[in-house]
Amino acid sequence: MRFASIAPYKRAQKVSGTKNMETKSSCPYCGVGCGVIIQHDGARVIEVRGDPAHPANFGRLCTKGSTLHFTTRPETRLLYPELRSSKGEARQRVSWDQALDTAATRFADIIKAHGPDSVGFYISGQLLTEDYYVFNKLMKGLIGSNNVDTNSRLCMSSAVAAYKQTLGADAPPCAYEDFDHSDCMLIAGANPAFAHPIAFRRIEDARAARPDKKLIVVDPRRTDTAASADLHLAILPGTDIWLFNAMLHVLLWDGYVNLPWVRAHTEGFDALRDAVREVTPAVAAGICGVKAEDIVTAARWWGEAQAPMSLWCMGLNQSHHGTHNGTALIALSLAVGKIGQPGCGPFSLTGQPNAMGGREVGGLANLLSAHRDLANPEHRAEVATLWGVDSVPEAPGLSAVEMFEAVRAGKVRALWIACTNPAHSMPQQALIREALEKCEFVVLQEAYANTETAQYADLLLPASTWAEKEGTVTNSERRITHVNAAIPGPGETRADWAIARDFALKLGEKLGRVDAPRLFDYPTVEAVFREHAESTRGRDLDITGLSYAVLDELGPQQWPFPEGAEQGASRLYAEGKFSTTSGKAQFIVPATSLTAESIDARYPLRLTTGRLRDQWHSMSRTGKAARLYNHVDEPRIDLNSSDLDRRSLRDGDLVRVKSRRGSVILRAHVTEEVRPGHAFIAMHWGRNVLSSSGANELTLNNVDPHSKQPELKHAAVQIEKVELPYQALLMRSAVHADVANSLALERAAALEPWLRRFDYAAVSLAGRDFAIVVLRIAHSAPIPAEWLEQLDALMDLQGEHCMAYADARRGVSKKALVEDNMLTGLRLTGETAAGGWLKELMIERAPTDTVRRWLFAPLPKAPIASVGRGRIVCNCLNVAESEIRAAVAEGKDLAALQATLKCGTSCGSCVPELKRLIAAGTPASV
Ligand code: SF4
């Protein structure tokens, strides 16, 4: 679609008749890259809505994007630079000048004493392209090391390596509009219904318009994406290559391979053909744990399709053979010669909002600007000439896992972390904590004050964030959006690119680099963009035709967009000419190993990790919006009922989950989404909300040899029941809406240091307009009375409006705070079963007569009339699972549910779950 035909893409405009302004930006969560319109008054974000003119989403947003305005509150922001003089000391507020001067001195001293490779930068796919560009130049052009890596290493580096090995360039050849043209879609290792919801809405629309379209989903779990498929291949973790090879075997055997095209446009096919000769569907079925006939069906649907298309994400990438997972999938497109045409091709869904932009500027330890390779001497010389430096270093830098290993070993002595949270997101957390504790000097450049990594920082630098900064981002389909600042950042926050520039100038001075002022002569962020665009001239991603003005005029554009172009390229390789040296695509014979760690008698469960629908990564942003907890309100491990039965466990029991690297305590949640012998933990919960580090306490750091991406997706674990008889539940809301959210956020942050005093503790939010902070505790010993008193004080559960009841003989106590005839505070010990309906009383802000009666009753049963609504499925319209179940039991279909309850009629994120509940026909386990 030619974007110029839509309304001009203006930066900001006044909303008629109000004091409000509107500014166009992009959602900072997933790689779909939806356009948003920020409504604000110049100081505060008031509301967010989807941009109808943005070609990624055409006005739609998912639950996360549509609640962005709830996440911009300043309470948990980092507002000023803070520095500590030595480890163990409290940080003190300092000026920016002192902060950057100290950082420059420490880095310069270490570089002079130990060389440029003794420092490292660990940055983020959340950064804008311009931020990335300056950091990359700072490390490779000024310091003279390639030790700059990013959390994109954990996310997309296997897809990068797979594209480069097969197609010759890190360039997804497809566009979202191809969803409409494809007649067979294969989604492998991805759950877009949760992780890329607006892309999934587009797939749903395409299927509705074309009911004969086939959808195959490959995933060990029966996710909402898998449940909606025509064919779900629930393979065992790590067996993807066997499945894809068996599909290729069938394509060969049944004559679907387009041999003339393969001979004309590819190389290496014969070797792969020989390698898959013995990989029959029967062989693969035994390894993958699926039926042979289903593999044959998938292959035949693929072979018969006019326009077969694959999509993949973390399920393939986060593997110790993630690159070959990708090359094996890409081989299926090459074998049938269906790439570069409408509806065809292998499409890697980007996890983070700007993982693509980071790759474009070479923001990984093995890359250089504009998709140049560090290993290529000509590319190094080109970049040196572009930057006006003598050379860029030759030796590859340290990838994410290697960097933290080097920090732990004392080889990297100063570490600068920007816009990411490795003390939550890296695998094998015990090693990461050890590295961060040992590191001589840790700088954390962050928007939020209380991420798990913040406690390790010697220097905290406050960064501006979404809605406050300008630059560009590139989404999964190579589309660049100009992101605009709507409001100024709070306190002394600065844009990330400006922090990196200012540090570079000071460091250059300390290192005696007289060229630093010229290298970092960026008066504006657009000056950075112009230099980046120029660096792409003649490259596969040439964007010399783009500027902020062009992006504002034409709207977001796909690359390449060379000088003189009128629009970007929807898809690549239409002529069958690829970016390899020979111009031919390459078939790769993949490694056929399985998971990095096998199950055995001690660790018999296959744990996979993934994402929830309404949370994003380590929750530093989504964790601030109470309503985003309403879909899943407590950390948990999903298990099949048979695995609970075998261990005499019940749904809701606390279990200890152990791997060879660590253990965590979580609540067991029974679901048929996971197969017997499998388990699932969402990756979002870490030490800020939980008494442990969550999933990454268990994961392992084995990496793919090509991409260096760690196997975050899978680990072998065991579970056992844990007896924690001393339980407590504390909840606190507020009478007035204008303070409820601030107080809840402040109290949640204050509770964080308490979490690790208990064997199990989890803090979360609840409610919608009046946020409630919820603290759940389970402990092996009686909870000391003074701890409870301190927690009461922290939650402000005291004063004349507090009612209390205690039964020392039964070990039960109840404390309730009633204000304006509403329950606004609660603490239960000993018996917490009534917490569910009491929480709902607080959410509903119902009159408290029933509470008074219940409070002084010896048995803590919920009044009959106070049955809870339960989990919220439709977050936009606040529709609960119990209401949907009741309507389904009456025979209502999706249309009837939408007509009566209105669920699924706003952002649509809950529609896959509604369909699943309808299909189940009875109360489904969720
Ligand atoms: Fe944001 Fe949701 Fe769009 Fe992803 S799909 S960019 S999270 S609104």
Side-chain angles (χ1 to χ4, degrees):
M1 175 179 295
R2 175 94 194 274
F3 194 83
S5 61
I6 306 176
Y9 200 84
K10 297 216 177 76
R11 281 181 179 212
Q13 60 191 44
K14 192 168 186 313
V15 181
S16 119
T18 75
K19 280 196 286 187
N20 294 339
M21 300 281 290
E22 289 189 339
T23 299
K24 292 207 172 194
S25 184
S26 176
C27 173
Y29 295 126
C30 81
V32 177
C34 297
V36 300
I37 296 176
I38 305 169
Q39 194 181 329
H40 60 96
D41 61 8
R44 288 174 314 129
V45 173
I46 295 163
E47 218 164 65
V48 170
R49 68 178 194 279
D51 181 354
H54 197 291
N57 56 319
F58 297 108
R60 284 168 151 176
L61 295 175
C62 74
T63 43
K64 295 181 283 280
S66 59
T67 49
L68 269 166
H69 52 298
F70 295 118
T71 69
T72 58
R73 305 183 67 88
E75 292 85 354
T76 53
R77 292 293 298 278
L78 179 61
L79 299 175
Y80 311 102
E82 291 177 15
L83 176 69
R84 67 179 167 203
S85 48
S86 60
K87 302 277 181 197
E89 296 289 313
R91 285 185 299 261
Q92 305 292 333
R93 179 178 170 180
V94 292
S95 68
W96 266 106
D97 201 48
Q98 186 184 346
L100 292 179
D101 208 56
T102 305
T105 301
R106 295 294 301 269
F107 267 67
D109 288 350
I110 289 171
I111 291 166
K112 283 177 197 165
H114 304 284
D117 290 334
S118 60
V119 299
F121 284 78
Y122 185 61
I123 59 177
S124 167
Q126 311 271 311
L127 291 170
L128 304 183
T129 302
E130 292 79 354
D131 304 324
Y132 249 121
Y133 187 89
V134 181
F135 271 116
N136 199 41
K137 189 175 181 182
L138 161 61
M139 198 58 178
K140 295 172 183 171
L142 185 78
I143 294 176
S145 166
N146 289 311
N147 282 351
V148 53
D149 215 55
T150 148
N151 61 11
S152 299
R153 181 73 64 183
L154 313 183
C155 165
M156 303 308 304
S157 56
S158 293
V160 174
Y163 274 138
K164 288 177 78 167
Q165 286 189 8
T166 53
L167 311 182
D170 172 21
C174 315
Y176 297 143
E177 67 185 60
D178 286 316
F179 299 166
D180 298 335
H181 303 297
S182 175
D183 56 350
C184 178
M185 299 185 76
L186 168 61
I187 300 177
N191 180 16
F194 274 26
H196 299 88
I198 298 305
F200 198 66
R201 295 290 85 73
R202 293 183 69 158
I203 292 170
E204 286 173 334
D205 289 349
R207 292 179 81 198
R210 193 171 170 176
D212 62 330
K213 182 196 295 277
K214 296 283 192 282
L215 177 63
I216 306 161
V217 173
V218 180
D219 196 311
R221 284 191 302 145
R222 191 161 180 79
T223 61
D224 278 0
T225 304
S228 73
D230 299 299
L231 176 62
H232 174 204
L233 293 162
I235 62 167
L236 296 174
T239 63
D240 312 76
I241 289 173
W242 290 93
L243 172 71
F244 303 146
N245 280 356
M247 286 177 67
L248 182 58
H249 176 103
V250 177
L251 293 175
L252 277 159
W253 190 259
D254 286 6
Y256 290 115
V257 171
N258 184 345
L259 274 175
W261 190 92
V262 166
R263 296 289 176 219
H265 300 288
T266 72
E267 292 171 338
F269 180 71
D270 292 349
L272 182 57
R273 180 200 58 206
D274 293 348
V276 305
R277 198 185 302 278
E278 308 299 328
V279 188
T280 62
V283 167
I287 293 167
C288 300
V290 294
K291 291 184 199 154
E293 53 264 40
D294 285 346
I295 298 176
V296 173
T297 300
R300 288 184 178 155
W301 284 358
W302 185 266
E304 283 160 14
Q306 294 301 308
M309 179 179 194
S310 62
L311 287 93
W312 83 97
C313 199
M314 304 304 163
L316 297 197
N317 293 334
Q318 290 180 333
S319 158
H320 76 128
H321 47 77
T323 301
H324 284 177
N325 282 342
T327 61
L329 183 63
I330 292 168
L332 297 180
S333 291
L334 295 175
V336 293
K338 297 287 176 62
I339 189 167
Q341 302 149 32
C344 299
F347 194 177
S348 143
L349 288 169
T350 312
Q352 298 196 78
N354 198 32
M356 283 280 284
R359 285 138 64 180
E360 287 158 24
V361 304
L364 285 164
N366 55 327
L367 298 178
L368 284 174
S369 301
H371 286 178
R372 291 178 176 88
D373 275 321
L374 196 62
N376 184 323
E378 282 174 30
H379 287 183
R380 290 200 302 277
E382 284 169 15
V383 173
T385 304
L386 278 164
W387 287 346
V389 295
D390 293 341
S391 62
V392 289
E394 181 179 349
L398 299 167
S399 65
V401 169
E402 293 167 339
M403 190 176 294
F404 283 91
E405 279 297 301
V407 171
R408 204 163 64 90
K411 292 177 184 160
V412 167
R413 294 160 182 265
L415 183 63
W416 189 298
I417 300 164
C419 200
T420 183
N421 191 8
H424 177 294
S425 53
M426 289 287 291
Q428 219 157 329
Q429 275 293 305
L431 299 182
I432 302 301
R433 289 195 294 273
E434 189 185 331
L436 288 168
E437 276 160 13
K438 277 186 178 174
C439 190
E440 280 179 33
F441 188 58
V442 178
V443 181
L444 177 62
Q445 177 173 328
E446 243 304 341
Y448 295 96
N450 65 335
T451 70
E452 282 86 351
T453 306
Q455 66 169 298
Y456 300 99
D458 300 294
L459 176 63
L460 274 176
L461 299 175
S464 47
T465 184
W466 177 83
E468 301 160 2
K469 53 193 274 199
E470 183 177 18
T472 52
V473 291
T474 309
N475 72 2
S476 296
E477 58 168 359
R478 293 172 281 108
R479 190 179 295 280
I480 298 173
T481 297
H482 181 200
V483 171
N484 294 291
I487 57 171
E492 293 183 4
T493 53
R494 289 187 184 178
D496 291 283
W497 69 271
I499 298 172
R501 174 201 61 186
D502 296 347
F503 171 70
L505 293 172
K506 282 196 181 280
L507 182 66
E509 205 178 303
K510 311 249 180 233
L511 291 175
R513 286 287 297 266
V514 292
D515 55 347
R518 174 183 55 77
L519 290 178
F520 295 93
D521 181 20
Y522 302 127
T524 63
V525 65
E526 191 166 8
V528 182
F529 180 83
R530 280 197 295 270
E531 184 174 310
H532 160 54
E534 186 54 38
S535 78
T536 67
R537 188 175 292 280
R539 304 284 306 160
D540 66 310
L541 72 166
D542 191 329
I543 54 165
T544 46
L546 288 182
S547 65
Y548 286 0
V550 169
L551 287 168
D552 289 341
E553 184 59 32
L554 298 185
Q557 292 295 318
Q558 289 175 279
W559 58 251
F561 196 113
E563 199 167 19
E566 293 187 354
Q567 65 182 95
S570 284
R571 50 190 75 85
L572 307 175
Y573 313 127
E575 311 301 325
K577 184 159 177 6
F578 296 89
S579 302
T580 52
T581 314
S582 64
K584 294 187 174 186
Q586 304 293 308
F587 284 97
I588 305 293
V589 177
T592 47
S593 59
L594 301 170
T595 50
E597 185 174 64
S598 304
I599 55 169
D600 58 20
R602 273 191 74 201
Y603 298 97
L605 291 172
R606 300 173 203 268
L607 171 74
T608 56
T609 66
R611 281 145 182 80
L612 297 175
R613 190 192 73 185
D614 292 353
Q615 295 292 351
W616 172 257
H617 282 194
S618 62
M619 298 167 65
S620 52
R621 199 188 304 272
T622 50
K624 310 292 185 289
R627 66 180 64 189
L628 292 180
Y629 291 83
N630 291 343
H631 192 232
V632 176
D633 68 350
E634 187 180 359
R636 68 193 198 190
I637 178 168
D638 289 355
L639 292 158
N640 188 275
S641 55
S642 63
D643 287 307
L644 288 181
D645 293 345
R646 190 169 303 129
R647 293 165 177 83
S648 302
L649 289 164
R650 287 177 311 171
D651 189 27
D653 281 349
L654 286 169
V655 295
R656 189 184 308 280
V657 190
K658 263 173 95 171
S659 78
R660 291 180 176 87
R661 291 150 297 280
S663 73
V664 300
I665 294 175
L666 291 169
R667 206 167 289 287
H669 174 249
V670 66
T671 172
E672 302 312 309
E673 273 183 37
V674 296
R675 295 165 56 159
H678 289 220
F680 172 80
I681 302 176
M683 53 84 75
H684 309 291
W685 302 299
R687 287 160 85 87
N688 272 1
V689 296
L690 187 59
S691 42
S692 72
S693 289
N696 285 329
E697 198 69 39
L698 309 167
T699 48
L700 61 166
N701 63 10
N702 296 42
V703 299
D704 176 279
H706 308 280
S707 68
K708 307 283 178 74
Q709 181 158 357
E711 182 153 301
L712 281 156
K713 269 286 167 189
H714 176 262
V717 298
Q718 57 169 259
I719 56 165
E720 62 186 13
K721 183 164 183 174
V722 55
E723 296 293 347
L724 301 175
Y726 299 96
Q727 309 219 344
L729 173 72
L730 289 93
M731 295 190 284
R732 187 70 164 96
S733 179
V735 175
H736 302 292
D738 53 344
V739 294
N741 292 333
S742 310
L743 285 172
L745 291 175
E746 282 171 17
R747 287 170 179 149
L751 287 172
E752 191 260 323
W754 279 83
L755 299 176
R756 274 166 298 287
R757 289 197 189 191
F758 302 102
D759 293 300
Y760 173 80
V763 65
S764 60
L765 302 180
R768 290 177 69 81
D769 301 326
F770 293 79
I772 302 167
V773 62
V774 181
L775 174 65
R776 297 175 172 90
I777 296 169
H779 203 49
S780 52
I783 302 169
E786 63 270 26
W787 287 12
L788 290 173
E789 282 166 22
Q790 289 170 36
L791 286 170
D792 284 351
L794 207 152
M795 298 280 257
D796 197 18
L797 266 169
Q798 48 200 3
E800 57 179 309
H801 300 297
C802 241
M803 301 181 290
Y805 168 90
D807 181 340
R809 191 180 52 82
R810 292 175 52 237
V812 168
S813 74
K814 309 178 220 175
K815 195 169 187 184
L817 179 65
V818 174
E819 299 170 294
D820 278 10
N821 200 31
M822 287 179 294
L823 181 66
T824 56
L826 184 81
R827 191 244 285 162
L828 306 177
T829 62
E831 172 56 66
T832 58
W837 72 267
L838 288 164
K839 185 173 91 175
E840 299 206 0
L841 277 187
M842 289 175 82
I843 292 172
E844 300 297 329
R845 302 174 73 69
T848 51
D849 298 344
T850 47
V851 178
R852 290 175 202 277
R853 281 198 298 277
W854 165 84
L855 184 68
F856 298 107
L859 290 174
K861 273 194 170 173
I864 300 295
S866 302
V867 175
R869 295 176 71 219
R871 205 170 58 93
I872 302 299
V873 172
C874 175
N875 228 330
C876 301
L877 280 301
N878 193 21
V879 185
E881 180 184 359
S882 57
E883 292 147 5
I884 295 162
R885 285 177 171 185
V888 169
E890 288 169 8
K892 288 195 167 59
D893 61 9
L894 179 62
L897 286 178
Q898 290 176 318
T900 52
L901 298 176
K902 307 295 179 200
C903 48
T905 57
S906 182
C907 81
S909 296
C910 64
V911 168
E913 189 168 349
L914 296 177
K915 286 180 180 168
R916 192 155 50 84
L917 288 168
I918 293 164
T922 53
S925 174
V926 286

